[in-house]
Amino acid sequence: MTSSAEPPSSTKTRNFFDRLTAVFHDEEVTDRAALLETIREARVANVLDDETLSMIEGALEVSEIRADDLMVPRAQVHAVDLSEPREVWMQALIASGHSRFPAVEGDLDNVLGILHAKDLLQILMNPDVNPRDLIRPARYIPETQPINVLLRDFKSTRSHMALVIDEFGSISGLITIEDVLEQIVGDIADEFDHDENVNNIIADAPGKWRVKAITPIEQFNEFFSCKLEDIYCDTIGGLVTDRFEHVPHQGETIVEKNFRFRIIKADERQVRLLGVEKIE
């Protein structure tokens, strides 16, 4: 008796990218550049929408981005200093709105581990609880670790945060799983995120800063005491894009007056984060 059952879907349909290749090319896709070209042609043909295209491109780019490209720099890390009175650091943590914090003794050169906000609730309910008993092990990764490797590490260890160390073993920053996912899907806002301009420009190292692309040129000029201007754009990301005369990609650099701009984060449509360095 001949079965009329349909074959399994895995044999009935081809892989998504195989189908795209068949639609747009006769030859086989053999490298990333060809794959990206195929995907972008799919967007032109309305097979994909802008958001899907952006996410696919972000997923393909993570292997080219290192931990130090996305990390929160050391100067901006919120840590629990257990050498301070409890009422001091507790108020600071509540105000920060984060869910995990490095626990330190003095500063980030002496990390004890990680404290979770939900564990700190025990302290609020019972002041006799010792916060040192709540500390969990910290994970450390090198500045050079590719983001795709870090994402696999987060998944396999069920971790959400890692401390980034330099070649000498010192803490240079902190990175979370949200930072990695935002590189793929775009910014993830929550109830603690604010659009205040105060966070647009962050010191990264002596003579170097991280600047959000949405930073108004006026704010940039005021912060750096300079006079950058662009008659077509209001933001520093728009100015940089205008100078490139194309939407720049991660890693590209350009010099404008006394500043060197490096693209830290960008997608197909816009720049998102810039590294800025003052030069003579």
Side-chain angles (χ1 to χ4, degrees):
M1 180 176 179
T2 303
S3 173
S4 59
E6 291 289 331
S9 59
S10 59
T11 59
K12 182 179 180 181
T13 60
R14 288 176 291 173
N15 175 275
F16 173 72
F17 291 121
D18 290 336
R19 285 185 281 126
L20 284 181
T21 302
V23 170
F24 295 106
H25 293 284
D26 292 331
E27 69 276 10
E28 182 182 355
V29 174
T30 58
D31 57 37
R32 179 176 298 183
L35 178 58
L36 281 171
E37 182 180 355
T38 298
I39 295 170
R40 288 165 184 165
E41 288 175 352
R43 173 65 193 97
V44 173
N46 289 321
V47 176
L48 306 174
D49 58 25
D50 287 333
E51 291 299 323
T52 303
L53 173 62
S54 180
M55 284 191 286
I56 294 174
E57 289 180 326
L60 291 173
E61 289 172 358
V62 292
S63 63
E64 301 176 353
I65 302 173
R66 309 188 328 171
D68 59 352
D69 289 322
L70 295 185
M71 70 179 186
V72 175
R74 176 180 175 132
Q76 303 299 318
V77 173
H78 292 281
V80 178
D81 185 355
L82 296 183
S83 66
E84 293 182 336
R86 182 176 301 186
E87 58 271 16
V88 173
W89 53 258
M90 182 66 78
Q91 289 298 324
L93 298 190
I94 293 174
S96 73
H98 297 308
S99 59
R100 293 169 177 80
F101 312 87
V104 304
E105 187 83 66
D107 58 31
L108 280 170
D109 290 325
N110 187 18
V111 175
L112 305 177
I114 302 296
L115 276 173
H116 288 219
K118 63 180 181 180
D119 292 334
L120 294 176
L121 290 175
Q122 298 181 47
I123 299 176
L124 295 176
M125 299 177 64
N126 182 3
D128 293 331
V129 172
N130 186 343
R132 295 174 185 268
D133 295 335
L134 306 176
I135 293 175
R136 307 187 187 198
R139 297 195 65 78
Y140 299 89
I141 63 168
E143 293 177 331
T144 55
Q145 184 166 102
I147 293 302
N148 61 325
V149 175
L150 175 59
L151 186 59
R152 288 199 300 269
D153 180 70
F154 277 148
K155 181 179 179 181
S156 63
T157 62
R158 298 186 179 181
S159 301
H160 289 245
M161 172 189 291
L163 295 170
V164 184
I165 57 175
D166 61 22
E167 59 182 311
F168 304 106
S170 297
I171 303 297
S172 56
L174 176 151
I175 191 167
T176 68
I177 192 170
E178 181 178 285
D179 297 323
V180 178
L181 294 177
E182 283 186 341
Q183 177 62 33
I184 299 174
V185 303
D187 291 338
I188 303 173
D190 61 35
E191 64 270 29
F192 295 106
D193 288 337
H194 303 283
D195 294 328
E196 299 174 357
N197 288 342
V198 68
N199 295 320
N200 283 347
I201 303 174
I202 297 175
D204 198 7
K208 296 182 179 181
W209 295 263
R210 293 185 182 220
V211 179
K212 292 181 181 179
I214 61 173
T215 302
I217 295 175
E218 181 179 355
Q219 182 193 359
F220 186 94
N221 286 339
E222 181 178 353
F223 184 92
F224 290 104
S225 298
C226 62
K227 294 182 179 180
L228 298 185
E229 58 183 357
D230 191 295
I231 62 174
Y232 302 107
C233 307
D234 296 321
T235 66
I236 198 66
L239 181 149
V240 170
T241 301
D242 186 44
R243 300 301 188 268
F244 271 105
E245 298 185 341
H246 66 268
V247 178
H249 303 291
Q250 186 262 333
E252 287 191 280
T253 62
I254 195 170
V255 173
E256 175 70 11
K257 294 189 176 179
N258 290 349
F259 297 92
R260 177 179 291 109
F261 294 92
R262 178 172 65 90
I263 310 303
I264 295 177
K265 193 174 180 181
D267 57 32
E268 178 67 13
R269 291 164 290 168
Q270 62 182 355
V271 176
R272 296 191 178 274
L273 185 64
L274 299 159
V276 177
E277 180 181 1
K278 274 192 173 182
I279 58 177
E280 297 297 331

